[in-house]
Amino acid sequence: MKMKSGICAVSALAMAIFAGAYQAAAQEPVVIGVSFDKMESFREGEFNAIKAAAAAKGAKIIFQNAQEDAQRQASQIESMIAQGAKAIIAIPWDIEAAVNDANNARSAGVAYVTLDQAPADLKAVDFHVGGDPCADGTAAGEFFAKAAGDKPYKLLELQGGLSNDNGIRRSKCLDEVLAKHSNIVIVAQVPTDWKPEKALVGTENALQAHPDLNAIYSPWNIGLQGVFSVLEKAGKLKKVGERGHIDIVSIDGAPTGCQAVRDGLIDMDLATPVGDMAAAAVDAALAVATGGKPAAPTAFLPGTPYTPADVATQAPKVWGCAAG
């Protein structure tokens, strides 16, 4: 119920968080520079949501992809400001460099908003909106604890990027839940840097060492590619409810995650509220660019849990179910 009430708050936030919300002018549209750290399926969903939110407000966007390079991202942000951007919405590649990027933009009178990945210092930006990595990690931990009951239970924990807030807290808050259950043993913690090939190797090693593995935590949907490859090769890719099934929980709500839930290959996915995040980021950028101010400096929005049992009814809330 706690998760559900958080989702209700998301909708209210997306619609009414900004006291000085931007209203599209009949004249020149506000230009927003959009800077992404990289592009993959989840980022494509976020970019599409930003485009839709900006179009709804009559704003124009300029987009740049930093391709996992902090120096390139800084240069691209400077270029977009030179092209007339009055606000920047950035997903930082480097959370420390993001602070300097924000300071430079704001010194030039340009609003600076971060999306998804929090910068090292939230005070450096005008507004940050993202998922709630701790709520998601906690929800995953609670699922595994319930699945384990009082039985011995071996779990492989794949970790995301440990240089950013999402990776750190999706791991930390999962571990805090599992630490309360002495029957649950984390057999390996595998840092992946959000790379599916590292998830594959980590899963392969863990399964070789622990053929009686009970569960796998993949804190992002793309990591499932490597997990499924290893399990299929080992003859252990079983559907939920089948004998020998390995419990799997993931996070994102991307098309790959939604399909995995629909196929019954994973037990639960936590769908990040991409549309609400994008709408909040665009509203904040436009509000600050036109002299307003967000009602709150940050917003962390918990994911929507969905499973093979309720995916049909939950699908409208999951961005990747519609996109897929």
Side-chain angles (χ1 to χ4, degrees):
M1 294 302 294
K2 181 178 178 182
M3 184 73 72
K4 185 176 180 181
S5 64
I7 296 303
C8 291
V10 170
S11 297
L13 169 92
M15 296 178 65
I17 192 170
F18 304 109
Y22 167 81
Q23 298 297 323
Q27 303 92 343
E28 203 69 23
V30 172
V31 177
I32 302 174
V34 177
S35 172
F36 275 21
D37 54 350
K38 59 184 177 180
M39 282 300 289
E40 32 81 13
S41 60
F42 188 75
R43 291 289 185 262
E44 287 173 6
E46 289 176 309
F47 181 54
N48 289 335
I50 289 173
K51 286 195 295 184
K57 292 300 176 81
K60 176 184 177 182
I61 64 172
I62 305 170
F63 174 74
Q64 292 282 359
N65 172 17
Q67 299 176 322
E68 304 185 357
D69 186 316
Q71 186 173 351
R72 180 183 290 117
Q73 188 163 40
S75 297
Q76 289 174 343
I77 289 169
E78 290 178 4
S79 175
M80 288 188 287
I81 292 172
Q83 292 176 62
K86 300 302 181 186
I88 299 293
I89 296 175
I91 301 180
W93 172 247
D94 184 301
I95 62 173
E96 297 289 347
V99 174
N100 189 56
D101 293 341
N103 289 336
N104 289 340
R106 296 175 78 187
S107 294
V110 174
Y112 199 90
V113 171
T114 48
L115 173 74
D116 196 348
Q117 303 277 23
D121 182 4
L122 286 168
K123 294 179 181 178
V125 302
D126 289 297
F127 181 70
H128 171 77
V129 59
D132 188 331
C134 192
D136 292 345
T138 297
E142 290 172 346
F143 177 90
F144 288 127
K146 184 176 180 180
D150 58 3
K151 305 185 302 292
Y153 196 79
K154 295 183 178 181
L155 183 144
L156 164 64
E157 180 191 347
L158 301 176
Q159 298 172 312
L162 298 181
S163 62
N164 63 65
D165 190 53
N166 284 340
I168 292 167
R169 292 204 289 154
R170 285 180 185 180
S171 174
K172 178 177 179 291
C173 295
L174 170 91
D175 295 345
E176 287 175 351
V177 173
L178 300 185
K180 300 173 185 176
H181 301 271
S182 59
N183 60 308
I184 300 177
V185 176
I186 299 175
V187 299
Q189 291 179 307
V190 181
T192 67
D193 298 317
W194 307 116
K195 304 293 186 184
E197 58 271 19
K198 292 186 178 182
L200 185 153
V201 172
T203 303
E204 192 169 50
N205 291 341
L207 196 60
Q208 287 176 351
H210 304 278
D212 56 345
L213 190 68
N214 300 106
I216 299 172
Y217 175 56
S218 177
W220 86 119
N221 286 171
I222 293 177
L224 293 171
Q225 299 171 8
V227 171
F228 291 163
S229 176
V230 172
L231 294 183
E232 185 172 29
K233 184 178 179 180
K236 291 180 176 289
L237 187 60
K238 308 291 185 181
K239 291 188 176 183
V240 175
E242 289 184 351
R243 184 178 178 84
H245 169 73
I246 292 176
D247 298 332
I248 302 174
V249 173
S250 191
I251 300 173
D252 276 347
T256 52
C258 182
Q259 192 60 51
V261 172
R262 283 175 166 156
D263 291 342
L265 295 178
I266 67 174
D267 298 76
M268 184 173 76
D269 189 29
L270 290 146
T272 304
V274 167
D276 288 315
M277 284 165 46
V282 169
D283 276 354
L286 293 174
V288 177
T290 55
K293 184 179 180 181
T298 60
F300 293 96
L301 315 180
T304 298
Y306 66 110
T307 69
D310 64 9
V311 64
T313 55
Q314 292 290 80
K317 303 175 188 177
V318 179
W319 68 273
C321 289

